[in-house]
Amino acid sequence: MENIRRILLATDFSPASRGAFEQALAFCRRSGAELVLAHVYRMPGTLPADMALTPDTAEQIDAKLAAVAESRLRALLEEARRQEIRGRILLLSGAPGEAIVEAARKAGADMLILGTHGRTGVARLLLGSVASKVIATASCPVLTVRAA
């Protein structure tokens, strides 16, 4: 535990991520580690066929998504700070699995924590699994916390 100086928590603000946040807080309290709160946002991949976005509209949507995500990250950071846990936020964009692993590497994370929705079968095949991608490619230990 004394070797853990920095923990990166990847959150999508879901109930599964809430459990992961609680686990990250517990690890930080025990180890004195810094908490790096990260969220990956991106524009929706599909839009209705009759809907076209102008570049200006796309930029506005992107800015709104980023602002909402940053606000939610700051709320989590304040909650951590009330428990005397030092930390910072990272707002990321791109493919979630790759962005999380790269952010952990750049931040010098000793541990990565993220929630998992526990999807299996067709749902996992169709939706993919960020947790699986992170586990397979991260250079530090990964703790996944399944939704209750």
Side-chain angles (χ1 to χ4, degrees):
M1 193 62 93
E2 62 275 348
N3 293 335
I4 298 175
R5 297 175 319 275
R6 186 168 297 116
I7 295 171
L8 188 135
L9 169 77
T11 180
D12 64 1
F13 309 116
S14 68
S17 287
R18 182 65 198 189
F21 177 65
E22 297 297 333
Q23 287 294 318
L25 293 177
F27 271 99
C28 288
R29 279 192 298 272
R30 288 193 300 266
S31 67
E34 173 191 22
L35 180 61
V36 179
L37 296 157
H39 173 75
V40 182
Y41 79 96
R42 62 180 167 176
M43 291 283 287
T46 58
L47 295 171
D50 62 343
M51 185 176 177
L53 293 180
T54 66
D56 287 344
T57 302
E59 283 181 29
Q60 290 172 358
I61 293 170
D62 186 72
K64 181 66 174 174
L65 288 171
V68 168
E70 183 175 348
S71 174
R72 294 182 82 180
L73 282 172
R74 289 197 183 286
L76 290 174
L77 181 60
E78 287 308 311
E79 188 175 340
R81 286 181 173 163
R82 283 193 297 273
Q83 296 184 39
E84 298 182 4
I85 294 169
R86 47 192 181 89
R88 59 189 165 108
I89 63 170
L90 285 178
L91 188 57
L92 311 167
S93 64
E98 291 84 2
I100 291 165
V101 169
E102 180 64 13
R105 186 189 64 74
K106 284 183 176 178
D110 301 300
M111 175 183 272
L112 211 158
I113 301 177
L114 68 157
T116 181
H117 299 281
R119 292 184 186 104
T120 59
V122 175
R124 182 171 174 184
L125 180 65
L126 294 175
L127 299 172
S129 173
V130 172
S132 292
K133 290 174 187 170
V134 169
I135 291 166
T137 58
S139 59
C140 64
V142 178
L143 171 66
T144 60
V145 179
R146 190 169 182 172

